[in-house]
Amino acid sequence: MPATIRDVAKASGVHVSTVSRAFSAPQLVNAETRAHVLAAAEELGYRPNRAARALITGRTHNIGLIVADIANPFFPPLIKAAESHARGRDYHVFVADTNEDAGVEEELVLALAKQVDGVLLCSPRMSNTQIEQLSREVPLVVVNRPVPGLPAVVMDVAQGARLAVEHLVALGHREIALLGGPRGSWTNREIRRAATLAARNAGAELVVLGPNAPTEESGSAQAEAVLRAGVSAVLAYNDLMAVGLIDALDHRGVKVPDQISVVGIDDTALSRRTRPMLTTVATPTAAAGRAAVDMLLQHGDDRRTTALVTLQTELVIRDSSGPGPHRTAGPGRRQQPPVDGVASESRE
Amino acid sequence: MPATIRDVAKASGVHVSTVSRAFSAPQLVNAETRAHVLAAAEELGYRPNRAARALITGRTHNIGLIVADIANPFFPPLIKAAESHARGRDYHVFVADTNEDAGVEEELVLALAKQVDGVLLCSPRMSNTQIEQLSREVPLVVVNRPVPGLPAVVMDVAQGARLAVEHLVALGHREIALLGGPRGSWTNREIRRAATLAARNAGAELVVLGPNAPTEESGSAQAEAVLRAGVSAVLAYNDLMAVGLIDALDHRGVKVPDQISVVGIDDTALSRRTRPMLTTVATPTAAAGRAAVDMLLQHGDDRRTTALVTLQTELVIRDSSGPGPHRTAGPGRRQQPPVDGVASESRE
DNA sequence: AGTTCTGCTGCAAACGTTTGTAGTCGCATG
DNA sequence: CATGCGACTACAAACGTTTGCAGCAGAACT
């Protein structure tokens, strides 16, 4: 029923190959002929069949995008940016959701492999070995984790964690808890490493609580542990957990930030909606989505490149972090941290 | 490079057609032969090329999902449910985002048309006529709006609006504002109609403010108008606007719900995170996603069916709605409704 | 014994494109 | 006048499947 290239050829009195070239190689066909063809195509409402084209060219003009959980507010901006960016380059995007399950992750990559020109693997929970294996099936770009030999885009979350810890120390906190994220998360390891280091350098103590699922619930569930740990400040793996923690503290009558300061990571839409508004590390999720698409389209088939894009993060100071018990002197609560560079502009 | 059906045929010593049937019509091939074939396929890591299959069968096993704004918390649960449901039926989902723009909507449907077996059009802003036209290009299921002659799944948001208004009236509110949603939204018209009717029946006055973009910002922007209107309660087009409004009221020192009650619609994840927690109308978004997929897969090619699935909504009473100036007697603010059935709760 | 049936498998055409190769034509070149 | 070239177009093979049809055993009827 739908018009094919043959219908167009018939209608414009030329051969199908000419029609094809009229679309994909305009310089090879007489301008006049081309005009005829295009008119006929328009007339018939012809749209090339991408499946047929894919069959012969080997490129589907589709890309896969695999995330851990669409409902996690971290991902929608990334998905949105990637989709829109890809569409601008005439690519369509398959979105799939793994429910934070490494097994589903693998299955999805395999299922999508023959259907797409490449896959954007966001925050994978698989092992590097598994990922490398999969990259033999289909070009992969990994987001939020560097994998040796594969193109990846990561956020400098270590920098963010450092800034967060320094911010808390500057406010007078000496005992800080880190609400760890999920096992298998590179980001989690980075945060932990950087936060530990930053704390040590600043003469503060860092207690690690976790690993935990990156959800609001598990943030709430850790409230007891936080209180038991006797800390005056908490850095959470992400905003979701920070929000859950604040809620649970609130229920127990613990005031944030008066009694405990809480800092999140990601600067999701959520962070502006909590009371108090959340101090958090902003990660450039939309930029990451676009960068990942670019890398995929650019590298095309030469997998096993070692390209790594690192995006900067910054600390956004709001109301959930305040003076700690060891406050000596210095800036007021909402004031900018002393720091160099990135930290000093908290955009809002 | 990747194994084709021909490789499998060669490896297992049968004809390609037998291999094909071993996968798609098991009853037509000898069990033993089939086992051989499957073993060989497994060995070679063979996965059928969906593009080639689509070419001949005419079914791509893909479906398109078009939403107004992925970042709007209303949509992720719907997308997630649809994707997972579709995958269970061996379908993959293209997700695209229109940025609330009717023009982009049309373009997207057309772009996806040849690539999918059908499109789920969520909360379209186009005219019915346009939608009907597009349905000639590709099977369509409309979500959140009934379109004559097309399969659709809608939420009984009128019911929800009625319950919300009745709830407010029962609490003693007589002047209620409705924060209208976007122009072109069927849901918006429904809410308005039902709320107006419910208010009239209950002897209350309803002021309509709008239309507005369905965003937090425009909710905040209407705070002044709400105060000027002198109402004691507000029903918002969605949670996002309700949240924005609450924020803005808070900034002005207006207490919710003590001075003004606010009720949202959608029961997004947001609503449990606001202070006070939002009273809202729960819409079954995940169920809608699944239902839409089912309808699409079921109707297959017979477009122009008139099937309409209506999903029930219910009122979730939390803390943002409280007693109004005309309180006489009745249930306490946080009291549970008399349960059994969604509708009965605010009958009094 | 011949016939029909059943269960399985092979053959080959099709699906809608792209693309290498070969042809045609007119025209300038030598 | 032959030759070659440039600009264009037609031909046909290929991509990896599915599927109607035919073929061929052997079993089960008549």
Side-chain angles (χ1 to χ4, degrees), chain B residues 169-186:
Chain B
V169 171
L171 283 171
H173 298 278
R174 292 293 176 273
E175 278 96 23
I176 304 176
L178 174 64
L179 268 193
R183 197 183 298 278
S185 157
W186 173 83

Side-chain angles (χ1 to χ4, degrees), chain B residues 15-346:
Chain B
H15 195 263
V16 290
S17 56
T18 304
V19 177
S20 173
R21 278 187 268 259
F23 283 97
S24 49
Q27 71 283 9
L28 291 185
V29 38
N30 182 294
E32 204 172 333
T33 316
R34 178 156 188 267
H36 269 132
V37 170
L38 260 36
E42 173 70 17
E43 171 80 17
L44 295 171
Y46 167 73
R47 302 215 149 215
N49 181 323
R50 295 177 87 132
R53 174 182 300 183
L55 198 51
I56 181 115
T57 62
R59 344 218 85 254
T60 61
H61 268 240
N62 294 150
I63 80 185
L65 174 54
I66 299 183
V67 301
D69 179 11
I70 298 179
N72 179 334
F74 175 81
F75 289 112
L78 192 154
I79 299 174
K80 184 171 175 131
E83 192 268 334
S84 139
H85 198 63
R87 184 145 43 84
R89 285 153 179 66
D90 197 26
Y91 275 74
H92 291 158
V93 176
F94 282 115
V95 175
D97 180 307
T98 68
N99 279 313
E100 295 272 351
D101 180 321
V104 179
E105 242 170 43
E106 177 173 15
E107 183 191 315
L108 276 176
V109 173
L110 256 23
L112 249 35
K114 285 293 184 309
Q115 178 108 330
V116 299
D117 295 341
V119 170
L120 269 34
L121 199 51
C122 299
S123 315
R125 305 288 182 243
M126 288 184 284
S127 69
N128 277 2
T129 329
Q130 276 180 293
I131 296 179
E132 279 164 21
Q133 290 219 336
L134 287 176
S135 79
R136 278 199 287 274
E137 299 290 326
V138 57
L140 242 43
V141 170
V142 188
V143 179
N144 276 341
R145 163 146 145 203
V147 176
L150 290 186
V153 17
V154 301
M155 325 241 196
D156 191 353
V157 75
Q159 155 90 338
R162 184 172 67 74
L163 293 177
V165 169
E166 287 174 357
H167 165 66
L168 290 171
V169 171
L171 283 171
H173 298 278
R174 292 293 176 273
E175 278 96 23
I176 304 176
L178 174 64
L179 268 193
R183 197 183 298 278
S185 157
W186 173 83
T187 299
N188 187 45
R189 290 194 294 276
E190 272 305 276
I191 291 171
R192 176 170 177 162
R193 188 180 58 69
T196 308
L197 189 67
R200 183 179 324 141
N201 286 346
E205 193 192 348
L206 189 87
V207 192
V208 178
L209 269 30
N212 306 291
T215 63
E216 200 180 346
E217 291 70 35
S218 81
S220 298
Q222 288 292 330
E224 273 309 325
V226 165
L227 293 176
R228 264 202 312 275
V231 298
S232 63
V234 181
L235 172 61
Y237 169 76
N238 66 9
D239 285 357
L240 234 35
M241 295 182 67
V243 168
L245 175 64
I246 290 179
D247 275 2
L249 290 177
D250 193 50
H251 272 117
R252 287 171 174 70
V254 180
K255 295 276 176 246
V256 175
D258 303 343
Q259 294 173 261
I260 292 191
S261 287
V262 176
V263 176
I265 295 182
D266 285 350
D267 192 26
T268 57
L270 258 171
S271 58
R272 246 160 282 114
R273 295 197 185 109
T274 56
R275 288 299 107 81
M277 294 208 295
L278 193 63
T279 293
T280 185
V281 175
T283 51
T285 46
R290 284 188 293 266
V293 169
D294 280 340
M295 291 188 82
L296 189 60
L297 265 35
Q298 187 173 324
H299 282 296
D301 279 326
D302 35 327
R303 336 199 167 173
R304 304 211 62 73
T305 163
T306 188
L308 177 67
V309 168
T310 304
L311 301 171
Q312 295 310 304
T313 59
E314 52 184 281
L315 184 65
V316 178
I317 301 177
R318 296 206 182 89
D319 309 328
S320 67
S321 56
H326 302 274
R327 190 79 183 297
T328 54
R333 176 155 88 71
R334 304 278 333 256
Q335 197 166 325
Q336 298 296 335
V339 189
D340 77 357
V342 186
S344 58
E345 61 196 29
S346 43

